[in-house]
Amino acid sequence: MREHASEENGRLGAARLGEDLGERATLVQFSTAFCAPCRATRRVLGEVARMVPGVVHVEIDAEDRLDLVRELGILRTPTVLVLDAAGRVVRRAAGQPRRADVIAALGEAV
């Protein structure tokens, strides 16, 4: 897992993401329009966010946010970042995640 600094002391805040962070953790998904695994990833992350109190899922269109894609070194979609409550990246994964892996990654964030 690689971590990249952003403008706010290595954190991604609501201003950068365009949506509020979760109270406990945030699942950030970078997607593109024609990415089939992105649809499955959206479903998995949405389910986990609904199951775990204080966790939200934020999906970002990589083509619309090339600035953030470059800043964070996103090389493929889907890429998922797990942020803690302060917006620090605690886990990063490319490709379609399994629900169990997402839940395990949340354990590091909360």
Side-chain angles (χ1 to χ4, degrees):
M1 176 181 101
R2 297 181 315 177
E3 294 185 23
H4 295 269
S6 75
E7 295 172 359
E8 302 177 40
N9 302 322
R11 297 180 182 166
L12 288 171
R16 296 288 292 143
L17 295 178
E19 294 193 36
D20 289 335
L21 296 179
E23 201 175 285
R24 297 175 68 202
T26 305
L27 302 170
V28 180
Q29 173 184 350
F30 286 87
S31 300
T32 51
F34 298 104
C35 165
C38 293
R39 290 189 290 276
T41 298
R42 178 184 311 120
R43 192 169 45 253
V44 168
L45 297 182
E47 288 172 3
V48 171
R50 285 188 295 276
M51 283 178 11
V52 182
V55 175
V56 298
H57 171 223
V58 174
E59 187 171 4
I60 296 174
D61 185 325
E63 295 171 348
D64 288 344
R65 294 298 310 272
L66 288 176
D67 59 327
L68 203 51
V69 166
R70 288 183 183 113
E71 176 185 333
L72 297 171
I74 305 296
L75 301 177
R76 61 182 279 210
T77 57
T79 291
V80 177
L81 306 178
V82 179
L83 309 181
D84 65 11
R88 288 183 297 263
V89 178
V90 295
R91 288 289 297 261
R92 174 188 185 113
Q96 183 179 333
R98 296 179 323 165
R99 183 183 321 193
D101 294 334
V102 175
I103 293 168
L106 281 174
E108 294 180 36
V110 296

